[in-house]
């Protein structure tokens, strides 16, 4: 059975960028269809089990008002419904998980609840249609426009949606492939981008590793050991060249730089730590931090004594970064997808049975998967955490020399005339890749998001709204993070609305000084931050 729908703005992909884009368009009065391949909205934050990676200034600057509201609502949920300690409840910067990856580490279902609350009024008003478990399978084009996108639902039905403007907010840039939109994958060469840190040669299949995250707690004295994975020995003994010969399933890591000491990660399930003692400034974390508190999303000591028997943490560690091969763009992608999950299963089994403990023993059999947290039957994320997507060949490609501290020194990042948002992170967070790169990418100055990076060079009514914007593999390491993706999505939803209202195109807006100024005024009026304080540096 096939049905047809027509809307003003079609947003394909319900991740961080897709949700933010939908809110921006809806608040400007537009009619929106939002589709999502899984049964949860939220992308990185929910289906992939990745607490938000945030910069140190996020509480006061370097984010849009909409993102600040989103974070406030997450905290309000805990204050309203959870038995917090008096100290935690009074903390204006409440961090329920007391994780150090972000000042607000929370459960994915709480994020899902807040997203639903933000979108529900527009659904009730008939302004927004949400299609879950619906994946794009075809794109119809004419000349340099997308006419319609065909979707397949979980029960095999087909839905064809036409729209004035289409946003690709998928995790892997699906519409770029389906619609024949010019794009790049993998690594670029130095000749292509001019980036000092780029490789001598390009490789379309050299992509950053993916991570199949999972949620665990620890029940001391109990045995929750999973069945031994079929390829456990293979993964236990795997020594990828990217790790300089170290076993991937191990706490030991080679020095990051010549002359540095070797590193050893620590793991202490349910430490008797002070949740207010967590330092979220990554510049102080050292080369090998404590893993349990890294992405902890429930810290039992933030709640009334005895309410939670254990913390809950997300395992997204160097040990389950899968670098055996890419998960798209190659005939054996499905095999690598299965292997990525089996690496994570092997990591858990190793932690439960063989991992060296500080007391000289081996393994923590009390480590227990939490399917209720992940929203899956087995406790592993619904989908892998993808760090890279297909990336559009954009009107403006963001390159390393635009914001790298190592290149710019104490100078500010490039300021774009068409800035539509800002972002920052501690590192240009490039992970080990399938082509042998060990990772690492230097440091970014606080940066801006150019509108040109959201606009393809040819197709007029398509916008990138997630990790598929015009970055390089290197600059993707900062622009892929959740708060930046939120700002990208908001800008995409806003420019789509502006174009629909003015019967024009995003490209025409960007290239007309008067229209661009009017659009940027609209963004600012809705709480977007377009510039940093000129004095701020990394």
């Amino acid at each position: 059975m096939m049905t047809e729908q027509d809307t003003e703005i079609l947003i394909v992909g319900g991740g961080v960028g897709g949700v933010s884009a939908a809110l921006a368009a809806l608040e400007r009065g537009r009619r929106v269809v939002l589709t999502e391949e899984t049964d949860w909205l939220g992308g990185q934050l929910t289906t992939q089990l990745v607490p938000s990676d945030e910069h140190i200034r996020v509480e006061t600057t370097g984010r849009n008002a909409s993102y600040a509201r989103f974070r406030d609502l997450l905290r309000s949920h805990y204050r309203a419904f959870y038995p917090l300690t008096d100290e935690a409840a009074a903390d204006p910067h409440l961090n329920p998980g007391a994780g150090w990856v972000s000042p607000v580490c929370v459960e994915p279902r709480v994020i899902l609840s807040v997203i639903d609350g933000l979108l529900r009024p527009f659904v009730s008003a008939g302004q927004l249609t949400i299609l879950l478990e619906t994946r794009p399978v075809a794109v119809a084009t004419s000349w340099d426009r997308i006419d319609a996108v065909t979707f397949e639902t979980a029960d095999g039905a087909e839905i064809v949606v036409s729209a004035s403007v289409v946003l690709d907010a998928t995790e892997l840039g699906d519409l770029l492939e389906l619609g024949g939109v010019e794009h790049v994958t993998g690594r670029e060469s130095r000749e292509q981008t001019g980036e000092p840190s780029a490789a001598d040669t390009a490789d379309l299949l050299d992509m950053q590793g993916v991570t199949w995250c999972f949620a665990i707690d620890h029940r001391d004295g109990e045995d929750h050991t999973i069945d031994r994975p079929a390829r456990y020995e293979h993964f236990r003994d795997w020594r990828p060249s990217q790790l300089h010969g170290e076993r991937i399933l191990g706490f030991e890591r080679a020095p990051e730089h010549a002359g540095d000491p070797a590193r050893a990660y620590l793991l202490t399930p349910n430490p008797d730590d002070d949740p207010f003692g967590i330092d979220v400034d990554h510049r102080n974390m050292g080369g090998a931090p404590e893993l349990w508190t890294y992405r902890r999303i429930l810290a039992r000591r933030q709640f009334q004594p005895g309410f939670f028997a254990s913390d809950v943490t997300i395992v997204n560690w160097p040990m389950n970064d899968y670098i055996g091969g890419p998960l798209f763009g190659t005939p054996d992608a499905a095999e690598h997808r299965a292997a990525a999950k089996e690496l994570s299963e092997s990591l858990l089994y190793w932690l439960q049975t063989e991992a060296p403990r500080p007391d000289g023993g081996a393994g923590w059999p009390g480590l227990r998967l939490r399917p209720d947290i992940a929203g899956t039957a087995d406790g592993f994320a619904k989908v892998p955490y993808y760090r890279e997507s297909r990336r559009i060949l954009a009107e403006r490609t963001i390159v390393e020399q635009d914001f790298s501290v190592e290149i710019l020194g104490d100078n500010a990042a490039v300021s774009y005339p068409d800035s539509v948002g800002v972002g920052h992170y501690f590192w240009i967070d490039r992970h080990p890749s399938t082509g042998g790169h060990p990772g690492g990418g230097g440091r970014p100055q606080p940066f801006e998001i150019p509108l040109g990076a959201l606009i393809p060079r040819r197709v007029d009514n398509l916008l990138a709204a997630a990790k598929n914007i015009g970055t390089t593999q290197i600059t993707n390491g900062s622009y892929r993070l959740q708060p930046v993706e939120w700002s990208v999505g908001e800008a995409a939803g806003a420019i789509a609305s502006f174009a629909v209202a003015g019967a024009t195109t995003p490209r025409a807006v960007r290239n007309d000084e008067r229209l661009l100024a009017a659009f940027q005024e609209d963004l600012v009026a809705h709480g977007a931050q377009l510039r940093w304080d000129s004095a701020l540096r990394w």
Side-chain angles (χ1 to χ4, degrees), residues 392-471:
I392 61 168
L393 290 179
E395 287 210 328
R396 177 61 158 93
T397 299
I398 302 159
V399 290
E400 178 187 22
Q401 47 271 45
D402 285 357
F403 66 90
S404 168
V405 171
E406 282 69 26
I407 297 171
L408 295 172
D410 195 44
N411 295 313
V414 169
S415 184
Y416 306 109
D418 61 342
S419 176
V420 291
V422 297
H424 195 224
Y425 196 51
F426 299 95
W427 326 116
I428 302 175
D429 192 23
R430 190 180 179 197
H431 280 239
S433 70
T434 59
H437 192 279
R443 299 165 294 161
Q445 294 288 17
F447 55 80
E448 298 173 358
I449 304 166
L451 176 59
L454 281 60
I455 301 175
R457 295 176 184 172
R458 179 179 58 84
V459 181
D460 281 328
N461 67 333
L462 175 71
L463 291 162
K467 297 188 294 290
N468 53 351
I469 65 172
T471 58

Side-chain angles (χ1 to χ4, degrees), residues 10-30:
L10 168 62
I11 303 172
V12 184
V16 178
V19 167
S20 176
L23 287 168
L26 293 164
E27 289 167 358
R28 288 165 171 82
R30 305 271 66 91

